[in-house]
Amino acid sequence: MPIARPALDGKVLFDRSATELITRTVLRSGHLTEVGGLLLGFRRGHHLHVKFATVPAAGDSSQTFRFVRRGFSHQLFAYKAWVTSGFRCDWIGEWHTHPEPVPVPSVVDLATWRSQVAKTKKPMAYLIVGTSSIWTGVLRSESSIPDKLQMTESHADTVLYSKS
């Protein structure tokens, strides 16, 4: 008999330090080209907890409508976080920008995310920063469409996103 795993209930907790790093990076880019990085953190029961984010680095490809991580710095940061956390901190998602006020996942975004989730067989969090708002979602292996999340709580050190 297969072991039943609890489904992710759509909650993603972001440490404020990760969201502030993303915000500073986006402001520096001026939305002239897409930028992005990894989301790293912990799988805590039904929830994802984003502790760290990586930012664009040498070797990455940043164009008006496309960002591709190519630099080794993302992998190195993720590896160091994994080791220093006692092999618990994991790659739990990605973030990038779109040059539009209200961002929505593109066909390329969805295909990439589906491929990532199919390989990891774990839920992943995704964040798209537009010029006026942010799109946040979670994609699970049993679904082909990400669950869109809304910010439901904001505290000094954390921001919580969940299904509306």
Side-chain angles (χ1 to χ4, degrees), residues 18 29 47 105 163:
S29 77
H47 312 292
K163 289 183 188 180

Tab-separated table of all heavy atoms in Angstrom, residues 18 29 47 105 163:
chain	number	residue	atom	x	y	z
A	18	ALA	N	14.972	37.830	2.194
A	18	ALA	CA	14.942	37.345	0.807
A	18	ALA	C	14.128	38.290	-0.077
A	18	ALA	O	14.558	38.632	-1.189
A	18	ALA	CB	14.365	35.935	0.749
A	29	SER	N	17.841	47.003	-11.485
A	29	SER	CA	17.722	46.632	-12.902
A	29	SER	C	16.862	47.625	-13.669
A	29	SER	O	16.998	47.742	-14.884
A	29	SER	CB	17.119	45.232	-13.043
A	29	SER	OG	15.719	45.258	-12.829
A	47	HIS	N	4.152	23.158	4.096
A	47	HIS	CA	4.513	24.526	3.730
A	47	HIS	C	5.922	24.629	3.161
A	47	HIS	O	6.782	23.801	3.434
A	47	HIS	CB	4.413	25.440	4.955
A	47	HIS	CG	3.136	25.272	5.707
A	47	HIS	ND1	1.919	25.643	5.188
A	47	HIS	CD2	2.889	24.753	6.926
A	47	HIS	CE1	0.964	25.365	6.061
A	47	HIS	NE2	1.523	24.815	7.131
A	105	PRO	N	2.460	34.228	-15.617
A	105	PRO	CA	3.427	33.273	-16.157
A	105	PRO	C	3.269	33.128	-17.675
A	105	PRO	O	2.152	33.010	-18.184
A	105	PRO	CB	3.076	31.962	-15.456
A	105	PRO	CG	2.298	32.350	-14.248
A	105	PRO	CD	1.584	33.614	-14.608
A	163	LYS	N	-3.296	30.522	-0.615
A	163	LYS	CA	-4.422	30.541	-1.543
A	163	LYS	C	-5.474	31.488	-1.005
A	163	LYS	O	-5.688	31.566	0.191
A	163	LYS	CB	-5.036	29.143	-1.687
A	163	LYS	CG	-4.181	28.166	-2.428
A	163	LYS	CD	-4.947	26.862	-2.544
A	163	LYS	CE	-4.094	25.767	-3.106
A	163	LYS	NZ	-4.824	24.512	-3.210
